[in-house]
Amino acid sequence: RSCGGRHLRLLAVLCSALLGACANLGMQREAPPADHPPTIDRAVTQAALLASYLEVLQRLVQGAPAEQAEILSGARHDFEIAPTPSHELRYAMVLATPGHPGTDCAKAQKLLRELIATQETLLPSERAMAFLTLRNVDQTLAQLADNQRLQSAADRTDHDRDRYAALNRRLQGEIDDNARLHKELDEAHAKLDAIANIEQTLNKPKAPGGTPQ
C-alpha cells in the first residue's frame, strides 16, 4: 500500500519554521550566570527532537532497501519495547512515509489517532507533527478508497460488458440455428413434395398404349 508524498514536503516546512523559532528563542535567552548550572531549554530540546525526526525520514526516503528495512525494524522495536508517545510518533511517521516496502498508511492512521487522543503527552512540536501527518494520511487513504471504488465500478462495467457480449453471441447463435433449421425444414418439405408428385404420377391409371392418363 502506498502513501502520498505531500506530507514530507509539508512536514519539512513545518519543521523549518519550528526550528527557526526555536533558534531565535534560544538566541534571545541570556547565558546563565557562571555560578549556576545551565537549565534545560525546552526550545532547544524540541529543536533537537525535530531534527532527529527529519533525519530519520530523510534516511528512510533516500536509503537503500536494506537501510529502509533497518529503520523500520528499529522504529518498531523501540515502540514495542518502550511504547512512549515519542516512540509511537516516530514509528507512525515511518509507516506513513512513502517510498519503502514497509509503508502502511492504515496502521499509521491508527497510531496517530491514538496519539491525538492523548495529545497532552506530546511536546507542542510533536503535536504539530502528529496532526500534520494524520491529516495527510487521512487524505491519502480517502484518495485510495476513491480509486478503489472507481476501479470496482470499472470492473463491474467490464464484467457487464462481457456478460452482454456473451448473451449477444448466444442469441446470435440461436438465430443462426433457427435459420438453419428453417432451411433444412424447407428442403425436407420440398423433397416430400417431390416424392408425393412422383407417387401421384406412378399411381395414375395408364391409358391404352401404356401412357398415364
Side-chain angles (χ1 to χ4, degrees):
R1 289 171 290 182
S2 173
C3 289
R6 297 186 310 275
H7 75 286
L8 290 179
R9 184 168 58 254
L10 294 175
L11 185 59
V13 173
L14 171 65
C15 290
S16 297
L18 290 175
L19 286 171
C22 292
N24 292 333
L25 182 59
M27 293 175 60
Q28 295 172 2
R29 292 180 180 272
E30 296 181 356
D35 57 343
H36 289 81
T39 59
I40 297 177
D41 192 326
R42 289 178 59 86
V44 174
T45 300
Q46 293 192 61
L49 185 61
L50 288 174
S52 69
Y53 282 126
L54 282 179
E55 180 186 1
V56 170
L57 296 183
Q58 183 177 8
R59 288 172 51 212
L60 184 64
V61 172
Q62 299 178 348
E67 184 178 8
Q68 291 175 336
E70 182 181 355
I71 293 173
L72 174 63
S73 176
R76 180 174 59 246
H77 179 267
D78 290 343
F79 171 63
E80 291 175 348
I81 296 301
T84 63
S86 295
H87 285 168
E88 187 172 9
L89 177 59
R90 187 185 301 269
Y91 183 37
M93 293 177 65
V94 169
L95 292 174
T97 301
H100 67 96
T103 300
D104 189 341
C105 283
K107 189 169 184 179
Q109 184 186 58
K110 178 177 180 295
L111 294 175
L112 290 167
R113 286 179 175 175
E114 291 176 355
L115 286 169
I116 298 302
T118 57
Q119 56 182 287
E120 65 277 1
T121 62
L122 296 170
L123 294 173
S125 58
E126 289 180 318
R127 285 199 294 271
M129 296 172 72
F131 275 107
L132 178 64
T133 305
L134 179 59
R135 176 186 174 187
N136 284 276
V137 166
D138 287 342
Q139 291 177 350
T140 298
L141 289 175
Q143 290 175 356
L144 289 175
D146 289 339
N147 290 340
Q148 289 176 354
R149 283 193 293 270
L150 291 174
Q151 184 61 48
S152 297
D155 291 342
R156 286 195 300 271
T157 301
D158 292 339
H159 175 72
D160 291 341
R161 186 182 298 112
D162 293 340
R163 185 164 60 89
Y164 292 148
L167 290 174
N168 285 333
R169 289 193 298 270
R170 180 179 176 183
L171 178 60
Q172 186 61 46
E174 292 177 352
I175 292 174
D176 294 341
D177 288 342
N178 287 336
R180 187 181 66 257
L181 291 174
H182 278 296
K183 181 179 179 181
E184 292 175 355
L185 184 60
D186 291 340
E187 292 175 351
H189 279 300
K191 291 178 180 178
L192 289 175
D193 291 341
I195 293 173
N197 290 334
I198 293 173
E199 290 180 349
Q200 290 177 0
T201 301
L202 293 177
N203 292 331
K204 284 183 178 181
K206 295 182 179 180
T211 59
Q213 294 182 350

